[in-house]
């Protein structure tokens, strides 16, 4: 039996192709029928040819659906259960998983810390921008949801961006009542800003250059900062009357210089060090990679960035990095959604069929107005 899937062909090109429907490969697997998947900013790194992804990979690390087949070793899930999956694939029993660091599982992807669905170098796990998905170590990885269709657009964001935004704030060392600056108002940046607001930040500044994104930040009660209007660090210090307590990088290695044209991989990291007060903290959930084939200089191509480490040391700043351990947060955020305390779906701009995915990738990549966060319903809705 075959299924439709979003398949990477070459830089700036994906196509809808028929792929074999996944099968149970291990007793701990389940097969789910995807109800919703999502296009992530991290997918754009591969789409643009900036990761070394090979043609043929099925994209999609933000996935939810209905359990259709259950392996003989699965104890907690049954056919018909509605689940959402962390983008992290984790075994549940290595030293890192046992201590909560599921983003850094050492078993699922030998030689690399961590695994994920549909992402280059993150293991052999097919992505979920498809009609069906195999879920390994299913009892450990699945988050059970209430049956039905309620909160679908909120629950899908538990796969990555809501926990990742929350994680970025946590990495910074944030405490309620502190002031935070967020670089990037894409979906993860907006989730970081939303998380800071939910957690009691006094003031939140959000830096970007896209008017639509900055407007979303303002709607959350944050102060938008357009970096095309001048040095954002100077703008924030002037607005705030000094440096802030914490800052979050929700941009990553494809950051751009102040002119908004030339890439400068260390631009955001440099700004965070400048904008945070002495003994404050930086949270860096934005993606940085060991190698970038599209970088403009050899050092950056090899993942080596120049940073003002002397200033970081002088100010005594703390720093946290790395992908989100989604399981550390997702059940609590799920319960906040169910209770009506959180509604992250405000970032969702489009819901599409799987056949519309190639066009949506192109528009999302070009930051065309109206494409903030795109959800895919591969089996209709």
């Amino acid at each position: 039996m075959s299924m439709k899937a979003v398949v990477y062909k070459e830089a700036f090109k994906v196509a809808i192709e028929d792929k074999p429907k996944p099968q149970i490969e291990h007793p701990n697997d389940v097969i789910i029928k995807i109800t919703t998947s999502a296009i992530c900013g991290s997918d754009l790194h591969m789409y643009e040819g900036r990761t070394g992804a090979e043609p043929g990979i099925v994209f999609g690390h933000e996935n939810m659906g209905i359990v259709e087949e259950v392996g003989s070793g699965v104890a907690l899930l049954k056919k018909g259960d509605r689940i959402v999956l962390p983008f992290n694939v984790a075994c549940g029993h290595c030293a890192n998983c046992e201590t909560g660091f599921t983003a850094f599982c050492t078993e699922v992807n030998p030689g690399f810390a961590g695994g994920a669905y549909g992402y280059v170098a993150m293991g052999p796990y097919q992505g979920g921008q498809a009609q069906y998905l195999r879920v390994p170590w299913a009892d450990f990885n699945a988050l059970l949801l209430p049956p039905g269709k309620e909160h679908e657009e909120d629950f899908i964001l538990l796969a990555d961006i809501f926990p990742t935004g929350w994680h970025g704030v946590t990495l910074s060392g944030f405490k309620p009542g502190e002031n935070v600056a967020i670089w990037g108002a894409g979906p993860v940046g907006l989730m970081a800003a939303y998380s800071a607001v939910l957690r009691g930040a006094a003031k939140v500044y959000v830096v970007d250059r896209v008017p639509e994104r900055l407007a979303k930040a303002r709607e959350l009660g944050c102060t938008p900062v357009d970096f095309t209007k001048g040095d954002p660090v100077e703008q924030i210090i002037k607005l705030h009357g000094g440096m802030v307590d914490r800052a979050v990088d929700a941009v990553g290695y494809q950051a751009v210089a102040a002119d908004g044209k030339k890439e400068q991989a260390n631009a955001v990291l440099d700004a965070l060090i400048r904008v945070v007060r002495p003994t404050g903290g930086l949270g860096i959930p934005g993606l940085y990679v060991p190698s970038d084939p599209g970088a403009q200089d050899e050092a950056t191509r090899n993942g080596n960035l120049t940073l003002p480490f002397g200033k970081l040391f002088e100010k005594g700043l703390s720093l946290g990095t790395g992908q989100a351990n989604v399981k550390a947060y997702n059940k609590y955020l799920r319960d906040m959604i169910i209770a009506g305390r959180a509604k992250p779906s405000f970032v969702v701009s489009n819901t599409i069929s799987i056949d519309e995915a190639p066009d949506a990738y192109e528009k999302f990549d070009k930051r065309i107005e109206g494409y903030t966060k795109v959800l895919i319903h591969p089996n209709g809705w």
Side-chain angles (χ1 to χ4, degrees):
M1 181 177 176
S2 65
M3 66 172 185
K4 290 183 176 181
V6 179
V7 178
Y8 176 66
K9 305 300 288 183
E10 61 186 33
F12 301 100
K13 184 178 180 181
V14 296
I16 307 306
E17 294 184 357
D18 287 335
K19 289 281 188 178
K21 181 184 174 183
Q23 304 294 317
I24 298 287
E25 298 178 14
H26 187 278
N28 291 338
D29 291 349
V30 302
I31 305 298
I32 66 170
K33 184 177 184 178
I34 296 287
T35 56
T36 304
S37 186
I39 301 176
C40 182
S42 297
D43 293 323
L44 295 183
H45 299 307
M46 292 189 293
Y47 176 75
E48 295 172 358
R50 297 295 295 272
T51 62
E54 295 291 333
I57 185 173
V58 176
F59 282 173
H61 59 269
E62 297 174 284
N63 307 307
M64 66 181 291
I66 306 298
V67 176
E68 187 168 274
E69 299 178 47
V70 180
S72 61
V74 174
L76 304 178
L77 299 173
K78 64 183 184 302
K79 184 176 180 179
D81 281 345
R82 183 190 188 201
I83 61 175
V84 64
L85 305 169
F87 74 89
N88 323 113
V89 177
C91 72
H93 54 256
C94 72
N96 281 345
C97 284
E98 285 189 341
T99 49
F101 295 103
T102 54
F104 307 94
C105 177
T106 56
E107 181 165 323
V108 298
N109 189 15
F112 194 93
Y117 301 97
Y119 211 86
V120 63
M122 297 296 283
Y125 309 103
Q126 179 178 279
Q129 290 173 15
Q131 292 180 296
Y132 296 90
L133 180 70
R134 181 178 75 92
V135 181
W137 294 280
D139 278 337
F140 182 72
N141 285 298
L143 178 68
L144 196 61
L145 302 171
K149 293 186 175 183
E150 190 176 11
H151 302 303
E152 184 85 6
E153 292 189 353
D154 297 297
F155 287 151
I156 182 58
L157 304 184
L158 294 173
D160 184 353
I161 66 168
F162 194 11
T164 294
W166 194 277
H167 180 64
V169 176
T170 298
L171 287 173
S172 76
F174 170 82
K175 295 185 283 294
E178 291 188 320
N179 303 290
V180 186
I182 313 288
W183 255 255
V188 170
L190 289 172
M191 287 296 99
Y194 187 45
S195 297
V197 171
L198 288 172
R199 295 168 69 168
K203 291 184 179 179
V204 181
Y205 301 90
V206 180
V207 178
D208 207 290
R209 59 174 169 171
V210 180
E212 185 179 26
R213 292 177 170 187
L214 292 170
K216 285 280 189 184
R218 188 183 296 279
E219 290 171 11
L220 292 175
C222 304
T223 301
V225 177
D226 184 344
F227 72 77
T228 68
K229 302 290 178 64
D231 183 342
V233 172
E234 293 179 2
Q235 290 188 64
I236 290 170
I237 289 173
K238 183 176 180 180
L239 287 166
H240 189 63
M243 299 177 190
V244 296
D245 302 297
R246 312 286 166 183
V248 176
D249 173 359
V251 177
Y253 74 104
Q254 286 187 260
V256 295
D259 61 9
K261 298 176 182 178
K262 182 182 178 182
E263 280 196 14
Q264 183 182 336
N266 64 350
V268 173
L269 298 173
D270 180 83
L272 264 57
I273 292 169
R274 292 168 54 216
V275 81
V276 171
R277 63 165 172 80
T279 72
L282 318 179
I284 307 172
L287 181 64
Y288 290 86
V289 292
S291 63
D292 173 10
Q296 297 179 358
D297 61 84
E298 185 176 357
T300 308
R301 279 195 292 274
N302 293 320
N304 298 320
L305 308 184
T306 301
L307 295 176
F309 199 87
K311 180 58 68 173
L312 181 115
F313 180 89
E314 175 211 314
K315 295 173 80 172
L317 301 176
S318 59
L319 181 153
T321 70
Q323 297 188 55
N325 306 295
V326 171
K327 280 180 63 69
Y329 311 109
N330 62 358
K331 66 180 179 180
Y332 305 107
L333 299 180
R334 174 200 62 189
D335 292 347
M336 289 174 68
I337 290 168
I338 293 169
R341 304 289 295 209
K343 192 167 180 60
S345 59
F346 72 86
V347 301
V348 174
S349 58
N350 306 79
T351 56
I352 63 171
S353 71
I354 195 168
D355 293 318
E356 298 172 275
D359 182 62
Y361 262 96
E362 181 179 359
K363 290 178 177 176
F364 186 36
D365 184 58
K366 293 179 178 177
R367 311 297 193 268
I368 288 175
E369 185 175 354
Y371 280 77
T372 307
K373 184 66 176 178
V374 180
L375 305 185
I376 303 171
H377 298 310
N379 290 288
W381 187 245

